[in-house]
Amino acid sequence: MANVQAVLSALDVFSRAPDKTALDTANNWLQDFQHSSEAWTTCNVLLLNPDAPPAAKLFAAQTFRTKVTYDLNQVDTASRFALRDTLLTALEKYHAGPKTIMVQLCLAIAGLALQLPAWQNPVQDLIDSFGRNPATVPALLQFLTLLPEEMNSNTKIPVTDEEYKEREAALLTANAPKVLELLIMYLQAPGVSFAVQNQVFQCLSSWLAAGEITAMSLAQTPLLAFAFEALSSDELFDTAVAAVSDIIHETQEVEDNMPVIEQIVPRVIALKPKLALYKDDPEKIRGLARIFTEAGEMYRSLLLHHPETFFPIVEAIGECSAYPDLDIVPITFNFWMRLAQAIGKKQSVSPLFLDAYKALMNVIIRHLHFPQDMNTFTGQEADNFRQFRHVMGDTLKDCCYVLGSDLCLSATYDMITTALSRSDVSWQEIEAPLFAMRSMGAEVDPNDDRAVPKVMDLIPSLPTHPRVRYAALLIIARYTEWINKHPTYIQTQLQYISAGFQDSDPEVNAAAGQALKYLCQDCRQHLVDFLPQLHTFLGSMGNKLIQDDKVQVYHAIAYVISAMPMEQAAQSLRTFAWDILAQVHTFTAKPTPPTKEERQMIADTIENLEVMLGVIDTFGEELPAACQNACEEAWSIVEPFVAKHGDDYVLCERATRVIRLGLNFFSSAALPVVPSVLSRMIETFERTGFSSYVWIAGKIIGRFGNEQNPALRLGFKEALERVSNKVVQILQGQSPSQVPDVMEDYLQMILQTLDYAPDILFTSPALGVAFRAAMAALTLVQTDAVFAALEIIRSILTHDSLVPSPTQPPEYATFAANIRPVVEQEGLALCGYVTSGLTGDFPEETTAAVVAIFRPLAALWPNQLVSWMTAVLQQLPSTSVPDQAKSTFVSEMQRAISEKQHDKIKYAVIGLHRASLKARERRRMGPLDT
């Protein structure tokens, strides 16, 4: 009874909802209790005790299900039938509910049946025990519903594939005819309740989904007809919809199921009038839409080959698509997409389908209309509607695919011109077809000379309402490939875009920026002569644009520059870049501290240079004349800026990104300034602790690490040691999880050093710091940092210097002499970090990297590894890895070492990892989860 009282006390904590610490303590205690062998007896007492609180009874049922899944090995074979009887007794006690307890007991019985082959026919036994008394039939139907679901979805039950196949055949396949007969009997039983009939349909769906009851087997039974008849019952409608849909789904192999399809299709078509009957009941329409679309998708080939018979299904789906409730409409979209794909593979198609897609296009455009009063939308509803418009746009693409872009564009063009001919036209009537045109853009032929020119000619004459202008600008952005083939439209569209920048609506400004960006990206060859206009535009409008829009303009400028001959491009880039650098110089020279607004303005200005360099990338190793000495000149402006303002985090981020792109742009021409750049980055990191400066240092080593310039390599060594010392200082006051950016950028710098300057790392006192930092980074949740840390450790442990060879370079002896003491000093900690991560929170893909670390440890430090891992595993909780799995790991590791087959350490690592995954899945589910 002590355990019973302890469980009750722990559960009581949850009912009182105290502080998080108390909840966590109770939760952990309950999880540990569920692992124990005493839980079997305790939970049986709780279940059968009429005075136990409901939460305790539910917990007991959940625990039985959990222990049957994970801990059946705690019950000896001879006692498993007694466990079965215990569970059946409990199910008898709770046959009337609560349903939550009944479900857990049924799942436990199903899991036991799967693992107990000596129990020859569990299904028949349950039918005999529960199927004859109307009061217990719901418990039987619950079990029969859950049995196939549990067998097909609970992959945690420890059975082999062969054992599973044998039990599946015995439990499901052999009993399918019996279950079908049972369902028919209960469905037709005199006085049967709606509740039982609903359970019958749910059970039928479960066995259909498992593939154990086939649609063909229903053809000669009353179940099929009754499922359709039940659609007229409010009480049975939902489960009947699910059952009918599942039956249809199981007939997807059309040729094999034609006899039953011939019974299904007339019944489906007979449902079509119900769409009008239930037009004011969205839930009924939703259910019918599910049935019609399921039939449409499964019988797609029949629709196309026999439209005279099957086309009413398409008409019904069209009615569902036209329904005003936009939560129901998307149920049909997958059908229209798949049908369009099928039509596209046919040389000819019935006009009926073309008419259906024309009607669908009109319906979707009608759905695209914003409401006349936007105040009827909440903020979230407006966002949801905007997102859904893009989903509807995909269906418009399906219409285009079937009908052709010419017809669709012409139809939307006619909608707009017809609306414009009226004096009372609303902006919604213009905007929706414009949005449709934008969605259809993906299907438009860039060489089209019929429909698209009419659209382009129409745009300048559209009303100036912000929503209309916004939509029109995004059409320009979407059709820039077409404009590139028709450059005579460039001037007109540039004027329209320019007007968009002057609109007072910020969304219109943003659309103008997007249009300009894509126009310049796709039409860059035609826009070279327009660059002076863009420069003038920036001068006159630049200060009026918000930064996001200005970024789009600089993107556009950079695309045009990238299309110029190199000398002209270099001169143009210099013009724009020096405009920006002049502002940086002025900011730096300012004697008074800058305001917050001034700091943001200069950060935005630097971002604009970053955007241009990101697009242009580089002119190659041989720089044009306009770029000669430009690197030194640019650095002479950027260096004092970093020196003075590098302790501002935002300015640091902007400056380092531009420096990175600048070094890439100038390439080897940057070599004269690289030592100065590296020195400034390190000095500023020491002063601020901002990781971006370490990031740049790593990029410099990666880019110029092959250079043999002595001054540069001395700079690399100084950078490594000064950064390492600063990292040590930072970690003395903060944990790695508090500075993940510093850790990751430092690790990346070490990786670059290992790749390009290993001699510097292996002869430096920073080697130990780097190794310990890599170990500490294994506690981070950031995946990239963990992978980088594992790669550093692996690279050090597998360095060729550790395996002596007559052909090795002479410095390798020094490398090995420096590496070995670090590993021997840190080996125990390393094994602890790696094992904790492997059995804890390491990403799934790290297993190979862990194997690559243990393999050299087993080869080069075999005795130490056994000692280290024995100590580590002793400290590892059995709830993280079962004791048996720990013992197996140690024995497999020792065998691999003694046989000198170090590659076999992989199997020990994989086994430990799998055991920890299983334990983690169990704990993650929690003691109170169902």
Side-chain angles (χ1 to χ4, degrees):
M1 289 299 293
N3 275 339
V4 170
Q5 189 55 50
V7 170
L8 294 175
S9 298
L11 290 170
D12 185 58
V13 172
F14 290 89
S15 66
R16 290 185 284 107
D19 61 87
K20 185 177 184 301
T21 302
L23 288 172
D24 289 343
T25 300
N27 187 66
N28 291 333
W29 188 91
L30 290 170
Q31 285 190 328
D32 292 339
F33 167 77
Q34 283 187 326
H35 284 75
S36 70
S37 57
E38 293 79 13
W40 298 102
T41 305
T42 303
C43 288
N44 190 40
V45 171
L46 285 170
L47 269 179
L48 300 181
N49 183 352
D51 298 325
K57 295 176 181 178
L58 176 58
F59 172 74
Q62 291 168 333
T63 300
F64 268 124
R65 191 268 175 113
T66 300
K67 294 191 74 63
V68 165
T69 298
Y70 294 104
D71 297 332
L72 194 59
N73 61 333
Q74 293 177 348
V75 182
D76 60 73
T77 305
S79 302
R80 292 183 183 180
F81 278 100
L83 172 62
R84 176 200 65 182
D85 295 341
T86 295
L87 293 172
L88 291 175
T89 299
L91 184 60
E92 168 68 28
K93 177 178 174 61
Y94 290 98
H95 71 267
K99 184 179 179 181
T100 51
I101 294 178
M102 190 200 306
V103 165
Q104 293 301 307
L105 291 172
C106 288
L107 290 170
I109 295 167
L112 181 63
L114 175 57
Q115 298 176 78
L116 189 57
W119 188 5
Q120 294 184 353
N121 200 335
V123 171
Q124 186 61 56
D125 288 349
L126 267 289
I127 292 172
D128 292 342
S129 299
F130 294 87
R132 294 185 171 90
N133 181 352
T136 58
V137 165
L140 171 64
L141 289 173
Q142 187 70 69
F143 170 77
L144 293 176
T145 301
L146 293 171
L147 178 64
E149 295 173 6
E150 181 73 351
M151 290 193 64
N152 287 315
S153 64
N154 191 352
T155 57
K156 302 176 185 69
I157 295 177
V159 292
T160 66
D161 289 346
E162 192 60 38
E163 289 169 339
Y164 174 81
K165 288 177 183 175
E166 289 179 5
R167 290 305 281 166
E168 180 188 40
L171 292 171
L172 300 182
T173 308
N175 286 299
K178 189 180 304 178
V179 169
L180 184 57
E181 291 174 11
L182 195 74
L183 296 180
I184 294 168
M185 181 184 73
Y186 288 143
L187 200 62
Q188 296 177 321
V192 62
S193 67
F194 287 128
V196 168
Q197 289 178 323
N198 276 315
Q199 279 193 286
V200 167
F201 285 136
Q202 290 166 352
C203 187
L204 175 62
S205 290
S206 179
W207 285 71
L208 281 167
E212 299 296 341
I213 291 179
T214 65
M216 279 295 291
S217 66
L218 298 176
Q220 304 304 318
T221 74
L223 264 175
L224 179 63
F226 193 85
F228 278 92
E229 291 167 9
L231 293 169
S232 299
S233 165
D234 290 342
E235 291 82 3
L236 301 177
F237 183 82
D238 291 339
T239 52
V241 165
V244 168
S245 299
D246 290 335
I247 292 169
I248 293 171
H249 187 80
E250 293 308 311
T251 62
Q252 56 189 293
E253 300 296 335
V254 171
E255 292 183 6
D256 297 336
N257 289 285
M258 277 310 296
V260 70
I261 291 173
E262 288 172 354
Q263 293 188 43
I264 291 171
V265 170
R267 290 184 166 93
V268 171
I269 292 174
L271 295 174
K272 189 165 172 273
K274 290 183 180 293
L275 290 172
L277 181 64
Y278 295 144
K279 67 181 189 317
D280 296 325
D281 187 340
E283 291 309 309
K284 291 284 179 63
I285 299 296
R286 185 192 306 275
L288 293 172
R290 280 185 58 192
I291 293 172
F292 287 128
T293 52
E294 189 70 49
E297 289 188 44
M298 293 306 103
Y299 308 146
R300 194 164 53 251
S301 61
L302 296 174
L303 293 176
L304 292 170
H305 287 97
H306 305 285
E308 68 284 353
T309 301
F310 290 89
F311 194 73
I313 295 176
V314 179
E315 291 176 325
I317 298 172
E319 288 188 47
C320 295
S321 297
Y323 195 70
D325 188 330
L326 295 186
D327 287 334
I328 293 170
V329 172
I331 295 172
T332 67
F333 287 171
N334 199 53
F335 163 76
W336 295 115
M337 178 192 70
R338 292 182 180 276
L339 182 62
Q341 292 170 344
I343 288 173
K345 297 174 183 176
K346 294 179 65 68
Q347 291 184 340
S348 62
V349 65
S350 167
L352 291 172
F353 292 102
L354 301 181
D355 291 340
Y357 275 94
K358 289 176 187 176
L360 177 64
M361 179 181 66
N362 290 323
V363 160
I364 296 297
I365 294 176
R366 188 168 67 247
H367 286 323
L368 288 172
H369 282 64
F370 279 102
Q372 292 295 323
D373 181 5
M374 289 294 290
N375 292 325
T376 59
F377 272 160
T378 65
Q380 186 59 53
E381 287 172 340
D383 288 343
N384 291 344
F385 180 66
R386 289 189 178 96
Q387 292 171 8
F388 183 57
R389 295 177 100 216
H390 292 286
V391 176
M392 291 192 284
D394 290 337
T395 301
L396 284 173
K397 293 174 191 174
D398 299 330
C399 295
C400 257
Y401 184 69
V402 172
L403 301 172
S405 59
D406 279 3
L407 190 152
C408 292
L409 282 178
S410 296
T412 49
Y413 172 85
D414 291 341
M415 289 180 192
I416 295 172
T417 54
T418 301
L420 288 173
S421 67
R422 301 195 336 265
S423 59
D424 60 343
V425 61
S426 66
W427 66 265
Q428 290 89 343
E429 295 175 85
I430 309 298
E431 190 275 343
L434 288 175
F435 183 93
M437 288 177 174
R438 173 186 164 202
S439 298
M440 296 171 185
E443 302 295 329
V444 169
D445 180 0
N447 296 307
D448 175 82
D449 286 321
R450 289 174 294 181
V452 182
K454 293 193 295 183
V455 174
M456 292 297 156
D457 290 337
L458 176 67
I459 285 175
S461 63
L462 289 171
T464 58
H465 189 283
R467 303 313 305 166
V468 173
R469 181 170 275 176
Y470 174 84
L473 285 165
L474 292 182
I475 287 178
I476 295 174
R478 189 66 188 81
Y479 284 69
T480 49
E481 290 183 19
W482 182 90
I483 296 172
N484 184 48
K485 298 278 190 178
H486 303 79
T488 55
Y489 283 92
I490 289 177
Q491 180 68 52
T492 305
Q493 304 306 349
L494 272 177
Q495 290 171 355
Y496 193 79
I497 292 170
S498 179
F501 280 114
Q502 297 174 39
D503 196 288
S504 60
D505 189 306
E507 289 191 358
V508 175
N509 302 156
Q514 191 172 337
L516 183 62
K517 172 185 171 181
Y518 287 115
L519 187 71
C520 291
Q521 180 177 337
D522 290 333
C523 308
R524 64 185 80 178
Q525 301 288 349
H526 303 297
L527 285 164
V528 169
D529 293 338
F530 288 89
L531 192 62
Q533 289 179 236
L534 291 174
H535 190 255
T536 302
F537 171 79
L538 263 182
S540 62
M541 287 290 297
N543 292 334
K544 300 176 183 177
L545 301 178
I546 65 170
Q547 178 59 14
D548 287 347
D549 298 339
K550 202 179 294 185
V551 163
Q552 300 280 33
V553 174
Y554 274 99
H555 264 116
I557 290 167
Y559 284 126
V560 175
I561 291 175
S562 68
M564 293 176 166
M566 190 171 294
E567 285 292 345
Q568 185 183 356
Q571 188 58 55
S572 297
L573 177 60
R574 186 181 182 95
T575 297
F576 285 95
W578 249 249
D579 285 348
I580 292 171
L581 290 172
Q583 295 177 62
V584 174
H585 175 71
T586 301
F587 180 84
T588 306
K590 192 171 183 280
T592 57
T595 64
K596 180 180 179 181
E597 291 73 20
E598 288 172 332
R599 290 198 300 270
Q600 186 60 54
M601 182 195 70
I602 204 65
D604 292 343
T605 300
I606 297 171
E607 182 185 18
N608 297 334
L609 180 56
E610 176 192 342
V611 164
M612 288 205 298
L613 291 175
V615 171
I616 294 169
D617 190 27
T618 183
F619 289 146
E621 290 292 331
E622 295 294 327
L623 292 178
C627 294
Q628 297 301 321
N629 302 318
C631 185
E632 291 87 340
E633 294 171 18
W635 180 239
S636 70
I637 294 173
V638 174
E639 197 272 342
F641 171 80
V642 173
K644 187 172 181 179
H645 298 290
D647 55 356
D648 182 298
Y649 183 77
V650 174
L651 298 183
C652 152
E653 289 290 299
R654 290 291 175 215
T656 50
R657 289 179 196 169
V658 165
I659 291 169
R660 165 79 178 94
L661 292 169
L663 290 171
N664 179 68
F665 175 82
F666 287 111
S667 190
S668 58
L671 276 171
V673 305
V674 167
S676 174
V677 175
L678 191 57
S679 177
R680 176 55 64 191
M681 295 300 102
I682 301 314
E683 184 278 327
T684 317
F685 172 63
E686 289 176 322
R687 177 160 51 90
T688 65
F690 293 163
S691 67
S692 294
Y693 297 117
V694 183
W695 175 68
I696 285 293
K699 294 298 183 183
I700 289 174
I701 294 172
R703 177 64 184 81
F704 301 103
N706 288 325
E707 300 289 337
Q708 295 305 311
N709 182 309
L712 188 56
R713 296 192 74 76
L714 184 62
F716 293 162
K717 184 176 188 299
E718 182 182 0
L720 172 65
E721 293 178 358
R722 289 173 64 183
V723 168
S724 296
N725 289 337
K726 179 64 178 179
V727 168
V728 169
Q729 180 187 339
I730 290 172
L731 291 179
Q732 286 172 347
Q734 295 174 281
S735 68
S737 62
Q738 292 175 296
V739 286
D741 51 346
V742 172
M743 296 298 294
E744 184 169 344
D745 288 328
Y746 177 64
L747 295 176
Q748 291 297 333
M749 177 183 172
I750 297 301
L751 280 175
Q752 298 296 337
T753 308
L754 277 167
D755 285 343
Y756 294 100
D759 55 313
I760 291 175
L761 178 64
F762 291 137
T763 57
S764 169
L767 174 61
V769 175
F771 197 86
R772 286 187 288 276
M775 291 193 302
L778 296 177
T779 62
L780 296 174
V781 297
Q782 286 78 11
T783 299
D784 289 345
V786 172
F787 276 108
L790 290 170
E791 179 58 20
I792 288 169
I793 295 167
R794 184 204 65 79
S795 297
I796 292 172
L797 295 178
T798 59
H799 194 267
D800 291 343
S801 65
L802 294 172
V803 183
S805 164
T807 59
Q808 282 182 344
E811 64 270 22
Y812 270 29
T814 304
F815 293 177
N818 290 335
I819 293 172
R820 284 185 177 277
V822 172
V823 176
E824 287 162 8
Q825 181 181 348
E826 305 296 341
L828 176 59
L830 170 64
C831 290
Y833 279 117
V834 172
T835 304
S836 177
L838 179 71
T839 61
D841 296 325
F842 274 2
E844 182 65 29
E845 303 80 11
T846 55
T847 307
V850 172
V851 170
I853 287 172
F854 275 117
R855 190 184 293 120
L857 287 174
L860 302 175
W861 291 275
N863 295 331
Q864 294 97 318
L865 178 61
V866 173
S867 173
W868 294 334
M869 285 305 299
T870 300
V872 166
L873 291 173
Q874 285 176 350
Q875 298 299 315
L876 199 64
S878 58
T879 50
S880 295
V881 178
D883 292 338
Q884 179 61 45
K886 297 179 194 176
S887 300
T888 301
F889 174 84
V890 172
S891 62
E892 289 183 354
M893 176 182 64
Q894 289 175 323
R895 188 181 310 114
I897 290 172
S898 64
E899 295 175 357
K900 296 191 182 302
Q901 293 183 316
H902 302 119
D903 284 345
K904 288 189 175 180
I905 201 80
K906 172 177 74 173
Y907 303 112
V909 172
I910 291 173
L912 189 69
H913 179 54
R914 285 176 177 167
S916 71
L917 280 179
K918 188 172 180 181
R920 198 183 323 159
E921 285 174 2
R922 178 175 183 176
R923 290 191 73 83
R924 186 180 293 139
M925 192 169 72
L928 303 182
D929 294 338
T930 57

